[in-house]
Amino acid sequence: MSKINMNSEIKKIEKQLKKEVSSADHTLNDTSHHLLDSGGKRVRPLFVILSSQFGTKVNDESYRVAVALELIHMATLVHDDVIDKSDKRRGRPTIVKKWDQPTAILTGNFLLARALEYISSIDNQAIHTTLSKAIVEVCRGELFQFEDQFNGKQTITNYLRRINRKTALLIQLATELGAMSSHSTDETVYRLKMIGHYIGMSFQIVDDILDFTSTEKALGKPVGSDLMNGHITLPVLLEMRKDANFKARIEALHAESEPKEFDAIIKRVRQSASIDESKAISQRYLDKAIQLLNELEDNHAKVLIEKLIHRMGKRTA
């Protein structure tokens, strides 16, 4: 396989994304471009392209998978913001804030439909079956997250299952379908699938850490937004294990709790050892990904995936 220029690949994907989110409907066109223009790391499409380099036949299917997965990811972000009633996403007003709830829901549906339409030309039933099953699981993850809002009695196991469906699954799909699209061996597909799973788990845990340790400017939303939206994440769950009084405070939180109560808890978690403990758990997932990566054949994509893994572990936003 030839060397990959990640910047060129991202530009190619961005160009196709702009084409796919365009619509003759003025409102859908505006809302979809509003979200696309707010940026994004494009982690999922990059992993599709990199994973496709371990097969025997890199073709247009890999790019179709890459663009479709990013559109599905964008759809989940819009629906997330509706459920959480979020005002900001990446430093800009959310669609639900700038327009309204029905428009946001329809935009998410539109992006999902565009993704499925764009990938429909792929003549590989295994890809379609894997993707459709995964979308069902992503929906279940969203439902579990909604049901667990302000549930102070949930366990770390609940949390890990939730983030697996909510975040890890789409990154796992990126590496798995990327490998499948280029006709990789079953063994290689499985290894890349698990690499994506471990990366995805770490990715969400780092997001949950940064929600406490970063800044509003870097996050593009208020610090502690997850907790204020009722999402009890790993740093909080670890801290709850150590202190019964703190656990009781978390269990007493609800949507109408005073801002000062949230602020006090956010400060407590930010200064706690639970942050470093969460980082250690995240790193263990990345170590597992690296271990599996080392079992794959040596090529330029392998080097780039390892660089991405290290960069993701150290990110600050």
Side-chain angles (χ1 to χ4, degrees):
M1 300 288 181
S2 57
K3 283 197 171 184
I4 304 169
N5 183 309
M6 289 201 288
N7 288 331
S8 296
E9 297 295 343
I10 289 175
K11 285 179 182 177
K12 184 175 180 179
I13 289 161
E14 289 284 351
K15 184 178 179 181
Q16 191 61 44
L17 283 169
K18 284 185 179 179
K19 184 177 178 181
E20 292 307 310
V21 303
S22 297
S23 171
D25 182 271
H26 178 72
T27 302
L28 284 176
N29 191 68
D30 286 352
T31 55
S32 300
H33 278 91
H34 173 79
L35 179 62
L36 184 66
D37 293 344
S38 69
K41 302 176 182 70
R42 309 301 182 229
V43 168
R44 292 150 197 83
L46 262 182
F47 276 123
V48 173
I49 302 306
L50 291 173
S51 298
S52 73
Q53 302 299 302
F54 293 90
T56 58
K57 187 181 177 184
V58 178
N59 51 49
D60 181 60
E61 287 185 8
S62 302
Y63 289 95
R64 286 191 172 273
V65 169
V67 171
L69 284 186
E70 190 65 9
L71 289 170
I72 292 169
H73 170 59
M74 289 168 64
T76 65
L77 296 182
V78 178
H79 288 158
D80 258 356
D81 290 339
V82 170
I83 292 167
D84 291 340
K85 300 180 176 64
S86 299
D87 291 342
K88 280 188 175 183
R89 164 76 64 183
R90 296 168 183 158
R92 304 181 75 190
T94 59
I95 294 172
V96 70
K97 176 69 174 178
K98 188 170 181 178
W99 282 270
D100 52 42
Q101 187 180 93
T103 302
I105 292 170
L106 290 169
T107 300
N109 294 349
F110 166 71
L111 293 170
L112 178 59
R114 274 285 200 236
L116 298 178
E117 179 185 43
Y118 188 61
I119 208 171
S120 64
S121 63
I122 293 179
D123 186 21
N124 186 329
Q125 187 58 44
I127 286 178
H128 294 295
T129 300
T130 302
L131 179 63
S132 58
K133 286 181 178 177
I135 291 174
V136 171
E137 289 303 308
V138 169
C139 291
R140 289 182 72 199
E142 295 287 346
L143 179 62
F144 293 156
Q145 176 168 282
F146 177 70
E147 290 175 344
D148 273 340
Q149 278 182 302
F150 293 106
N151 174 15
K153 298 187 185 298
Q154 66 187 277
T155 65
I156 290 178
T157 299
N158 291 142
Y159 164 80
L160 294 175
R161 286 175 181 163
R162 187 172 72 242
I163 69 168
N164 175 42
R165 289 185 171 97
K166 181 176 177 289
T167 301
L169 195 51
L170 282 182
I171 296 179
Q172 172 184 309
L173 268 178
T175 52
E176 181 181 14
L177 297 186
M180 290 171 68
S181 70
S182 62
H183 307 281
S184 298
T185 65
D186 290 346
E187 186 179 7
T188 299
V189 169
Y190 179 74
R191 281 182 178 148
L192 281 161
K193 170 186 174 179
M194 294 311 298
I195 287 167
H197 166 72
Y198 293 136
I199 291 170
M201 294 296 284
S202 169
F203 189 89
Q204 185 58 53
I205 291 170
V206 171
D207 261 5
D208 294 340
I209 293 167
L210 292 175
D211 191 59
F212 289 100
T213 62
S214 192
T215 63
E216 181 169 348
K217 183 178 180 181
L219 292 171
K221 58 181 182 178
V223 173
S225 289
D226 287 341
L227 184 65
M228 289 185 280
N229 286 323
H231 305 315
I232 299 171
T233 55
L234 186 59
V236 179
L237 290 165
L238 290 173
E239 194 66 13
M240 288 168 69
R241 280 183 165 186
K242 304 169 189 173
D243 186 336
N245 289 330
F246 180 76
K247 186 173 187 292
R249 288 173 67 186
I250 296 298
E251 290 178 349
L253 287 176
H254 51 84
E256 306 303 321
S257 292
E258 291 292 325
K260 63 181 180 181
E261 180 62 13
F262 285 113
D263 291 343
I265 291 171
I266 291 164
K267 183 178 180 181
R268 160 81 178 263
V269 174
R270 185 170 59 236
Q271 296 173 346
S272 73
S274 295
I275 293 295
D276 285 338
E277 291 166 19
S278 298
K279 288 179 182 177
I281 293 170
S282 167
Q283 188 58 49
R284 285 205 289 273
Y285 280 113
L286 292 183
D287 291 343
K288 288 181 180 180
I290 293 289
Q291 186 178 347
L292 275 178
L293 186 65
N294 288 336
E295 296 175 9
L296 295 175
E297 64 180 77
D298 291 334
N299 62 20
H300 188 234
K302 181 176 177 177
V303 174
L304 293 179
I305 290 174
E306 185 167 2
K307 284 184 179 178
L308 269 178
I309 289 172
H310 289 306
R311 190 185 304 170
M312 290 167 75
K314 295 177 181 177
R315 65 193 175 93
T316 56

